[in-house]
Amino acid sequence: MNPAVSSASSERLASFSANGAHGSVLVINSGSSSVKYQLVNPVGGEAIASGQVERIGQDDGIVTHKFAGNKTTQIIDVPDHSAALRIIMELFTVHGPDLAEADVVAVGHRVVQGGSYFSGPAVIDDEVLEKIRSLIPLAPLHNPGHVAGIEVARELLPHVPHIAIFDTAFFQTLPEAAYTYAIDKDVAEAHAIRRYGFHGTSHQYVSGKVSRVLGRRLDELNQIVLHLGNGASVSAVRGGVAVETSMGLTPLEGLVMGTRSGDVDPAVIFHLARNAGMSIDEIDDLLNKRSGMKGLSGESDFRAIHELVAQGDEATKLALDIYIHRLKKYIGAYHAILGRVDVITFTAGVGENDEIVRRLTVRGLESLGIAIDEGRNDERSRDPRIISPDWTSTLVMVVPTNEELAIARQCVAVVDELASGADASEDEPAAV
Ligand code: AMP
């Protein structure tokens, strides 16, 4: 943990009482056209309330709020992020819980791209916000929404620290050989082109959880984490430190995903531009939104995909084969990088729920000491669990991810750290 703290933040923190640093954390995930939020109890781990505002910028915005077993849904005009955040505050006031009584100790903002600036959480002040803004060219779909959301949230909740948690931070430890692309180094440097990796909050949370569940030291475990959701990525984690990951400059690289292609020869882009008359924006849309399982089979949801396979749909069967083939390729590669693999963990929507994908992925890897026990794999549970047989050298596990809780806990750790620093140094400015 190495929070970037400026003196402006410490001033704001001076008015913040740290004594109740284990109240709740409001986690905000502000996307390009939606804002999702969750009020989290960082100790118990449960979501006290949650919701989302979707279709921002359109006159039929969808607003959903859940609290105490009640769910409210409204269709209203949400012109921009400012309106979305104001609506969220209103939802808390009208439908509960009252934020003033919820003892909100921090607002955690999920930020997709932290570039090379951030290797941990950052208390948001004007300088940090400016850096997030400066990274917009690297994350044009995500960072503008984050900036807009952060600006309004700071205005609406001025008395608590706002903390940015970056998807890229966990992967700032990648070795140079893993994060450098083999292109002209001056061009790469001029345009900040390198592997950043994404889903870092999930990979970090899951690899830490594995160590706690097994009761084994994190620094002694070599792990492969398979985050298989609508977006999907693999990481290799040695002793708690990320050493490889499949997503790159953007979340497009790597595995086959719901709608993203993952790895393709970059020359596909030149070919389409030169011979198919497609613009760069059209190719961007093709590879990000109309490829992956969706592009291959017409469906991106694995429940629908298995139904189509069961009905004998050949295109979908091939799509599933391609998905599994790519996964095995990465497991083999990361095995070679790590040398020894103690644990392979499945997580996220597909990884946690899809026993077929898990079975097909692991099938044929017995010579690497990797296998699953069919009975354990088929068991439905929301608990972290081992699904490999007792005889294997590598454990295969299913561990549910919880990015909101991970963000909330990182925020509490920052708040605690800041509070102890502020107490110790009285009038001195906090470390920059
Ligand atoms: P995530 O992005 O982690 O929320 O994952 C969403 C994806 O998980 C969906 O698009 C589905 O493909 C997959 N998923 C969710 N529930 C199931 C399930 N019960 N069986 C198979 N896949 C599932």
Short mmCIF file of all heavy atoms in Angstrom, two decimals, residues 188-242:
data_model
loop_
_atom_site.label_atom_id
_atom_site.label_comp_id
_atom_site.label_asym_id
_atom_site.label_seq_id
_atom_site.Cartn_x
_atom_site.Cartn_y
_atom_site.Cartn_z
N ALA A 188 7.19 3.82 -28.72
CA ALA A 188 6.48 3.29 -27.55
C ALA A 188 6.56 4.28 -26.39
O ALA A 188 5.55 4.57 -25.73
CB ALA A 188 7.08 1.94 -27.14
N GLU A 189 7.74 4.85 -26.18
CA GLU A 189 7.91 5.77 -25.06
C GLU A 189 7.11 7.05 -25.27
O GLU A 189 6.42 7.54 -24.37
CB GLU A 189 9.40 6.09 -24.88
CG GLU A 189 9.69 6.69 -23.53
CD GLU A 189 11.14 7.10 -23.39
OE1 GLU A 189 12.01 6.44 -23.97
OE2 GLU A 189 11.38 8.11 -22.69
N ALA A 190 7.16 7.56 -26.49
CA ALA A 190 6.46 8.82 -26.79
C ALA A 190 4.95 8.69 -26.57
O ALA A 190 4.28 9.66 -26.22
CB ALA A 190 6.75 9.25 -28.23
N HIS A 191 4.42 7.50 -26.77
CA HIS A 191 2.97 7.32 -26.68
C HIS A 191 2.53 6.43 -25.52
O HIS A 191 1.39 5.97 -25.48
CB HIS A 191 2.44 6.79 -28.01
CG HIS A 191 2.69 7.72 -29.15
ND1 HIS A 191 1.91 8.83 -29.38
CD2 HIS A 191 3.69 7.76 -30.07
CE1 HIS A 191 2.40 9.50 -30.42
NE2 HIS A 191 3.48 8.88 -30.85
N ALA A 192 3.45 6.20 -24.57
CA ALA A 192 3.15 5.42 -23.36
C ALA A 192 2.58 4.04 -23.69
O ALA A 192 1.67 3.54 -23.02
CB ALA A 192 2.21 6.19 -22.43
N ILE A 193 3.13 3.42 -24.77
CA ILE A 193 2.62 2.12 -25.19
C ILE A 193 3.35 1.01 -24.43
O ILE A 193 4.59 0.89 -24.50
CB ILE A 193 2.81 1.94 -26.72
CG1 ILE A 193 1.91 2.94 -27.45
CG2 ILE A 193 2.47 0.50 -27.14
CD1 ILE A 193 2.16 3.03 -28.93
N ARG A 194 2.62 0.25 -23.67
CA ARG A 194 3.16 -0.88 -22.92
C ARG A 194 1.98 -1.73 -22.44
O ARG A 194 0.82 -1.33 -22.60
CB ARG A 194 3.98 -0.42 -21.70
CG ARG A 194 3.27 0.58 -20.81
CD ARG A 194 3.89 0.66 -19.43
NE ARG A 194 3.58 -0.56 -18.67
CZ ARG A 194 4.02 -0.79 -17.44
NH1 ARG A 194 4.82 0.06 -16.84
NH2 ARG A 194 3.67 -1.88 -16.80
N ARG A 195 2.29 -2.88 -21.87
CA ARG A 195 1.23 -3.67 -21.25
C ARG A 195 0.91 -3.05 -19.89
O ARG A 195 1.81 -2.87 -19.06
CB ARG A 195 1.71 -5.13 -21.08
CG ARG A 195 0.70 -6.04 -20.39
CD ARG A 195 1.24 -7.46 -20.21
NE ARG A 195 1.72 -8.02 -21.46
CZ ARG A 195 0.95 -8.43 -22.46
NH1 ARG A 195 -0.36 -8.38 -22.31
NH2 ARG A 195 1.47 -8.90 -23.57
N TYR A 196 -0.35 -2.70 -19.67
CA TYR A 196 -0.77 -2.20 -18.36
C TYR A 196 -1.50 -3.28 -17.57
O TYR A 196 -1.31 -3.40 -16.36
CB TYR A 196 -1.68 -0.98 -18.51
CG TYR A 196 -0.93 0.24 -19.01
CD1 TYR A 196 -1.02 0.64 -20.33
CD2 TYR A 196 -0.10 0.96 -18.16
CE1 TYR A 196 -0.31 1.73 -20.81
CE2 TYR A 196 0.62 2.05 -18.62
CZ TYR A 196 0.51 2.43 -19.95
OH TYR A 196 1.23 3.51 -20.40
N GLY A 197 -2.30 -4.09 -18.27
CA GLY A 197 -3.08 -5.12 -17.57
C GLY A 197 -4.31 -4.49 -16.92
O GLY A 197 -4.28 -3.32 -16.53
N PHE A 198 -5.38 -5.27 -16.84
CA PHE A 198 -6.64 -4.77 -16.24
C PHE A 198 -7.24 -5.86 -15.35
O PHE A 198 -6.66 -6.94 -15.25
CB PHE A 198 -7.60 -4.33 -17.35
CG PHE A 198 -7.02 -3.20 -18.16
CD1 PHE A 198 -6.19 -3.47 -19.24
CD2 PHE A 198 -7.23 -1.88 -17.80
CE1 PHE A 198 -5.61 -2.44 -19.97
CE2 PHE A 198 -6.66 -0.84 -18.52
CZ PHE A 198 -5.84 -1.12 -19.61
N HIS A 199 -8.36 -5.57 -14.72
CA HIS A 199 -8.96 -6.47 -13.72
C HIS A 199 -8.03 -6.68 -12.53
O HIS A 199 -8.13 -7.68 -11.82
CB HIS A 199 -9.25 -7.88 -14.30
CG HIS A 199 -10.33 -7.94 -15.33
ND1 HIS A 199 -10.31 -8.87 -16.36
CD2 HIS A 199 -11.46 -7.23 -15.48
CE1 HIS A 199 -11.39 -8.72 -17.11
NE2 HIS A 199 -12.11 -7.72 -16.60
N GLY A 200 -7.09 -5.76 -12.32
CA GLY A 200 -6.07 -5.97 -11.28
C GLY A 200 -6.67 -6.10 -9.88
O GLY A 200 -6.18 -6.88 -9.07
N THR A 201 -7.74 -5.34 -9.62
CA THR A 201 -8.36 -5.41 -8.29
C THR A 201 -8.86 -6.83 -8.04
O THR A 201 -8.70 -7.37 -6.94
CB THR A 201 -9.55 -4.42 -8.21
OG1 THR A 201 -9.06 -3.13 -8.59
CG2 THR A 201 -10.13 -4.34 -6.81
N SER A 202 -9.42 -7.46 -9.06
CA SER A 202 -9.93 -8.82 -8.92
C SER A 202 -8.77 -9.82 -8.77
O SER A 202 -8.79 -10.68 -7.89
CB SER A 202 -10.78 -9.18 -10.14
OG SER A 202 -11.19 -10.52 -10.07
N HIS A 203 -7.76 -9.69 -9.62
CA HIS A 203 -6.63 -10.64 -9.54
C HIS A 203 -5.93 -10.56 -8.18
O HIS A 203 -5.53 -11.56 -7.60
CB HIS A 203 -5.64 -10.38 -10.68
CG HIS A 203 -6.13 -10.83 -12.02
ND1 HIS A 203 -5.98 -12.12 -12.48
CD2 HIS A 203 -6.81 -10.18 -12.99
CE1 HIS A 203 -6.53 -12.24 -13.68
NE2 HIS A 203 -7.05 -11.06 -14.01
N GLN A 204 -5.80 -9.34 -7.67
CA GLN A 204 -5.15 -9.15 -6.37
C GLN A 204 -6.01 -9.74 -5.25
O GLN A 204 -5.52 -10.45 -4.37
CB GLN A 204 -4.93 -7.65 -6.13
CG GLN A 204 -4.18 -7.36 -4.84
CD GLN A 204 -3.84 -5.87 -4.72
OE1 GLN A 204 -4.48 -5.02 -5.35
NE2 GLN A 204 -2.85 -5.56 -3.93
N TYR A 205 -7.31 -9.43 -5.30
CA TYR A 205 -8.23 -9.91 -4.26
C TYR A 205 -8.26 -11.44 -4.25
O TYR A 205 -8.14 -12.07 -3.19
CB TYR A 205 -9.63 -9.35 -4.54
CG TYR A 205 -10.71 -9.91 -3.64
CD1 TYR A 205 -10.91 -9.39 -2.36
CD2 TYR A 205 -11.52 -10.96 -4.06
CE1 TYR A 205 -11.90 -9.91 -1.54
CE2 TYR A 205 -12.52 -11.47 -3.25
CZ TYR A 205 -12.71 -10.94 -1.98
OH TYR A 205 -13.68 -11.45 -1.17
N VAL A 206 -8.40 -12.03 -5.44
CA VAL A 206 -8.55 -13.49 -5.52
C VAL A 206 -7.25 -14.18 -5.09
O VAL A 206 -7.28 -15.16 -4.33
CB VAL A 206 -8.99 -13.91 -6.94
CG1 VAL A 206 -8.87 -15.41 -7.14
CG2 VAL A 206 -10.43 -13.46 -7.19
N SER A 207 -6.11 -13.69 -5.54
CA SER A 207 -4.86 -14.37 -5.17
C SER A 207 -4.61 -14.24 -3.66
O SER A 207 -4.10 -15.17 -3.04
CB SER A 207 -3.67 -13.84 -5.99
OG SER A 207 -3.63 -12.44 -5.98
N GLY A 208 -5.02 -13.12 -3.08
CA GLY A 208 -4.90 -12.96 -1.62
C GLY A 208 -5.85 -13.88 -0.88
O GLY A 208 -5.50 -14.49 0.13
N LYS A 209 -7.06 -13.99 -1.41
CA LYS A 209 -8.09 -14.83 -0.78
C LYS A 209 -7.65 -16.31 -0.80
O LYS A 209 -7.86 -17.04 0.17
CB LYS A 209 -9.40 -14.65 -1.56
CG LYS A 209 -10.58 -15.37 -0.99
CD LYS A 209 -11.31 -14.52 0.01
CE LYS A 209 -12.46 -15.25 0.64
NZ LYS A 209 -13.10 -14.51 1.69
N VAL A 210 -7.05 -16.73 -1.90
CA VAL A 210 -6.56 -18.11 -2.01
C VAL A 210 -5.61 -18.42 -0.85
O VAL A 210 -5.73 -19.44 -0.18
CB VAL A 210 -5.85 -18.32 -3.38
CG1 VAL A 210 -4.96 -19.56 -3.35
CG2 VAL A 210 -6.87 -18.41 -4.50
N SER A 211 -4.70 -17.51 -0.62
CA SER A 211 -3.73 -17.72 0.46
C SER A 211 -4.42 -17.83 1.81
O SER A 211 -4.10 -18.70 2.62
CB SER A 211 -2.70 -16.57 0.42
OG SER A 211 -2.32 -16.16 1.68
N ARG A 212 -5.42 -16.96 2.03
CA ARG A 212 -6.12 -16.99 3.33
C ARG A 212 -6.96 -18.26 3.47
O ARG A 212 -6.96 -18.89 4.53
CB ARG A 212 -7.00 -15.74 3.49
CG ARG A 212 -6.20 -14.46 3.71
CD ARG A 212 -7.09 -13.33 4.22
NE ARG A 212 -8.12 -12.96 3.28
CZ ARG A 212 -7.94 -12.20 2.21
NH1 ARG A 212 -6.73 -11.72 1.94
NH2 ARG A 212 -8.93 -11.91 1.40
N VAL A 213 -7.63 -18.65 2.39
CA VAL A 213 -8.49 -19.84 2.45
C VAL A 213 -7.63 -21.09 2.70
O VAL A 213 -7.99 -21.97 3.48
CB VAL A 213 -9.29 -20.00 1.12
CG1 VAL A 213 -9.95 -21.36 1.03
CG2 VAL A 213 -10.33 -18.90 1.03
N LEU A 214 -6.46 -21.14 2.06
CA LEU A 214 -5.60 -22.32 2.22
C LEU A 214 -4.79 -22.27 3.51
O LEU A 214 -4.21 -23.27 3.92
CB LEU A 214 -4.63 -22.44 1.03
CG LEU A 214 -5.26 -22.67 -0.35
CD1 LEU A 214 -4.18 -22.68 -1.42
CD2 LEU A 214 -6.04 -24.00 -0.36
N GLY A 215 -4.74 -21.09 4.12
CA GLY A 215 -3.90 -20.94 5.31
C GLY A 215 -2.43 -21.08 4.96
O GLY A 215 -1.62 -21.57 5.75
N ARG A 216 -2.07 -20.66 3.71
CA ARG A 216 -0.66 -20.74 3.30
C ARG A 216 -0.16 -19.34 3.00
O ARG A 216 -0.91 -18.46 2.59
CB ARG A 216 -0.52 -21.63 2.07
CG ARG A 216 -0.76 -23.09 2.43
CD ARG A 216 -0.84 -23.97 1.19
NE ARG A 216 0.42 -24.01 0.45
CZ ARG A 216 0.58 -24.73 -0.68
NH1 ARG A 216 -0.42 -25.46 -1.15
NH2 ARG A 216 1.73 -24.73 -1.30
N ARG A 217 1.14 -19.12 3.20
CA ARG A 217 1.72 -17.79 3.01
C ARG A 217 1.64 -17.37 1.55
O ARG A 217 2.03 -18.13 0.65
CB ARG A 217 3.18 -17.79 3.45
CG ARG A 217 3.39 -17.91 4.94
CD ARG A 217 4.87 -18.09 5.21
NE ARG A 217 5.62 -16.96 4.67
CZ ARG A 217 6.26 -16.06 5.40
NH1 ARG A 217 6.25 -16.17 6.71
NH2 ARG A 217 6.91 -15.08 4.84
N LEU A 218 1.16 -16.14 1.33
CA LEU A 218 1.04 -15.61 -0.03
C LEU A 218 2.40 -15.58 -0.73
O LEU A 218 2.53 -15.90 -1.91
CB LEU A 218 0.43 -14.20 0.03
CG LEU A 218 0.14 -13.50 -1.28
CD1 LEU A 218 -0.83 -14.29 -2.14
CD2 LEU A 218 -0.40 -12.09 -1.04
N ASP A 219 3.43 -15.22 0.03
CA ASP A 219 4.75 -15.07 -0.60
C ASP A 219 5.39 -16.41 -0.98
O ASP A 219 6.45 -16.45 -1.58
CB ASP A 219 5.69 -14.21 0.25
CG ASP A 219 5.92 -14.78 1.64
OD1 ASP A 219 5.47 -15.91 1.90
OD2 ASP A 219 6.55 -14.08 2.47
N GLU A 220 4.71 -17.51 -0.63
CA GLU A 220 5.25 -18.82 -1.01
C GLU A 220 4.43 -19.49 -2.11
O GLU A 220 4.71 -20.62 -2.49
CB GLU A 220 5.30 -19.73 0.22
CG GLU A 220 6.40 -19.32 1.19
CD GLU A 220 6.40 -20.13 2.46
OE1 GLU A 220 5.54 -21.02 2.62
OE2 GLU A 220 7.28 -19.87 3.30
N LEU A 221 3.39 -18.79 -2.59
CA LEU A 221 2.50 -19.42 -3.57
C LEU A 221 2.73 -18.88 -4.98
O LEU A 221 2.78 -17.67 -5.18
CB LEU A 221 1.03 -19.16 -3.20
CG LEU A 221 0.45 -19.90 -1.99
CD1 LEU A 221 -0.97 -19.42 -1.75
CD2 LEU A 221 0.48 -21.41 -2.19
N ASN A 222 2.85 -19.80 -5.94
CA ASN A 222 2.83 -19.41 -7.35
C ASN A 222 1.43 -19.68 -7.89
O ASN A 222 0.95 -20.81 -7.81
CB ASN A 222 3.82 -20.26 -8.16
CG ASN A 222 5.24 -19.78 -7.98
OD1 ASN A 222 5.51 -18.84 -7.24
ND2 ASN A 222 6.16 -20.45 -8.65
N GLN A 223 0.79 -18.64 -8.42
CA GLN A 223 -0.61 -18.79 -8.80
C GLN A 223 -0.90 -18.34 -10.23
O GLN A 223 -0.28 -17.39 -10.72
CB GLN A 223 -1.50 -17.92 -7.89
CG GLN A 223 -1.33 -18.17 -6.41
CD GLN A 223 -2.42 -17.45 -5.61
OE1 GLN A 223 -3.59 -17.51 -5.95
NE2 GLN A 223 -2.03 -16.78 -4.54
N ILE A 224 -1.87 -19.02 -10.82
CA ILE A 224 -2.47 -18.53 -12.08
C ILE A 224 -3.92 -18.21 -11.75
O ILE A 224 -4.63 -19.04 -11.18
CB ILE A 224 -2.39 -19.59 -13.21
CG1 ILE A 224 -0.92 -19.85 -13.59
CG2 ILE A 224 -3.19 -19.12 -14.43
CD1 ILE A 224 -0.73 -20.94 -14.64
N VAL A 225 -4.34 -16.99 -12.04
CA VAL A 225 -5.73 -16.59 -11.78
C VAL A 225 -6.43 -16.40 -13.13
O VAL A 225 -5.95 -15.65 -13.99
CB VAL A 225 -5.80 -15.28 -10.95
CG1 VAL A 225 -7.26 -14.87 -10.72
CG2 VAL A 225 -5.08 -15.45 -9.61
N LEU A 226 -7.56 -17.08 -13.28
CA LEU A 226 -8.36 -16.97 -14.51
C LEU A 226 -9.61 -16.17 -14.18
O LEU A 226 -10.52 -16.69 -13.55
CB LEU A 226 -8.76 -18.36 -15.01
CG LEU A 226 -7.63 -19.39 -15.20
CD1 LEU A 226 -8.20 -20.77 -15.47
CD2 LEU A 226 -6.72 -18.97 -16.34
N HIS A 227 -9.62 -14.90 -14.55
CA HIS A 227 -10.81 -14.05 -14.33
C HIS A 227 -11.64 -14.17 -15.61
O HIS A 227 -11.33 -13.54 -16.63
CB HIS A 227 -10.39 -12.60 -14.07
CG HIS A 227 -11.55 -11.66 -13.93
ND1 HIS A 227 -11.89 -11.04 -12.74
CD2 HIS A 227 -12.45 -11.22 -14.84
CE1 HIS A 227 -12.95 -10.29 -12.92
NE2 HIS A 227 -13.31 -10.38 -14.20
N LEU A 228 -12.68 -14.99 -15.56
CA LEU A 228 -13.49 -15.25 -16.75
C LEU A 228 -14.88 -14.68 -16.56
O LEU A 228 -15.75 -15.31 -15.95
CB LEU A 228 -13.58 -16.76 -17.02
CG LEU A 228 -12.24 -17.53 -17.05
CD1 LEU A 228 -12.50 -19.01 -17.30
CD2 LEU A 228 -11.31 -16.96 -18.11
N GLY A 229 -15.09 -13.45 -17.01
CA GLY A 229 -16.41 -12.84 -16.95
C GLY A 229 -16.78 -12.46 -18.37
O GLY A 229 -16.33 -13.12 -19.33
N ASN A 230 -17.55 -11.39 -18.53
CA ASN A 230 -17.81 -10.92 -19.88
C ASN A 230 -16.49 -10.43 -20.49
O ASN A 230 -16.15 -10.75 -21.61
CB ASN A 230 -18.87 -9.82 -19.82
CG ASN A 230 -19.46 -9.60 -21.18
OD1 ASN A 230 -19.52 -10.52 -22.00
ND2 ASN A 230 -19.86 -8.37 -21.44
N GLY A 231 -15.71 -9.70 -19.70
CA GLY A 231 -14.30 -9.46 -20.02
C GLY A 231 -13.52 -10.59 -19.36
O GLY A 231 -13.97 -11.13 -18.36
N ALA A 232 -12.37 -10.95 -19.91
CA ALA A 232 -11.64 -12.08 -19.33
C ALA A 232 -10.14 -11.83 -19.39
O ALA A 232 -9.64 -11.26 -20.37
CB ALA A 232 -11.99 -13.37 -20.05
N SER A 233 -9.45 -12.24 -18.33
CA SER A 233 -7.99 -12.09 -18.33
C SER A 233 -7.36 -13.14 -17.43
O SER A 233 -8.01 -13.67 -16.53
CB SER A 233 -7.60 -10.69 -17.86
OG SER A 233 -8.07 -10.45 -16.55
N VAL A 234 -6.10 -13.44 -17.70
CA VAL A 234 -5.32 -14.38 -16.89
C VAL A 234 -4.15 -13.64 -16.29
O VAL A 234 -3.59 -12.74 -16.93
CB VAL A 234 -4.67 -15.49 -17.76
CG1 VAL A 234 -4.23 -16.66 -16.90
CG2 VAL A 234 -5.54 -15.92 -18.88
N SER A 235 -3.76 -14.02 -15.08
CA SER A 235 -2.53 -13.46 -14.54
C SER A 235 -1.68 -14.56 -13.94
O SER A 235 -2.19 -15.60 -13.53
CB SER A 235 -2.83 -12.40 -13.47
OG SER A 235 -3.40 -13.01 -12.33
N ALA A 236 -0.37 -14.29 -13.92
CA ALA A 236 0.57 -15.15 -13.20
C ALA A 236 1.06 -14.34 -12.02
O ALA A 236 1.51 -13.20 -12.19
CB ALA A 236 1.73 -15.54 -14.11
N VAL A 237 0.92 -14.91 -10.82
CA VAL A 237 1.24 -14.18 -9.59
C VAL A 237 2.25 -15.00 -8.78
O VAL A 237 1.95 -16.10 -8.34
CB VAL A 237 -0.04 -13.93 -8.75
CG1 VAL A 237 0.27 -13.10 -7.51
CG2 VAL A 237 -1.12 -13.24 -9.59
N ARG A 238 3.46 -14.47 -8.66
CA ARG A 238 4.51 -15.17 -7.92
C ARG A 238 4.67 -14.52 -6.54
O ARG A 238 5.04 -13.35 -6.46
CB ARG A 238 5.83 -15.13 -8.69
CG ARG A 238 6.97 -15.84 -7.97
CD ARG A 238 8.29 -15.76 -8.71
NE ARG A 238 8.31 -16.63 -9.86
CZ ARG A 238 8.60 -16.26 -11.11
NH1 ARG A 238 8.90 -15.00 -11.36
NH2 ARG A 238 8.60 -17.12 -12.09
N GLY A 239 4.35 -15.29 -5.51
CA GLY A 239 4.51 -14.77 -4.16
C GLY A 239 3.70 -13.50 -3.92
O GLY A 239 4.16 -12.60 -3.21
N GLY A 240 2.53 -13.41 -4.52
CA GLY A 240 1.67 -12.24 -4.31
C GLY A 240 1.99 -11.09 -5.25
O GLY A 240 1.31 -10.06 -5.22
N VAL A 241 3.02 -11.27 -6.09
CA VAL A 241 3.43 -10.20 -7.00
C VAL A 241 3.09 -10.60 -8.44
O VAL A 241 3.48 -11.68 -8.90
CB VAL A 241 4.96 -9.96 -6.88
CG1 VAL A 241 5.43 -8.92 -7.89
CG2 VAL A 241 5.33 -9.56 -5.46
N ALA A 242 2.35 -9.72 -9.13
CA ALA A 242 1.96 -10.04 -10.51
C ALA A 242 3.19 -10.02 -11.42
O ALA A 242 3.96 -9.06 -11.41
CB ALA A 242 0.93 -9.03 -11.00
#
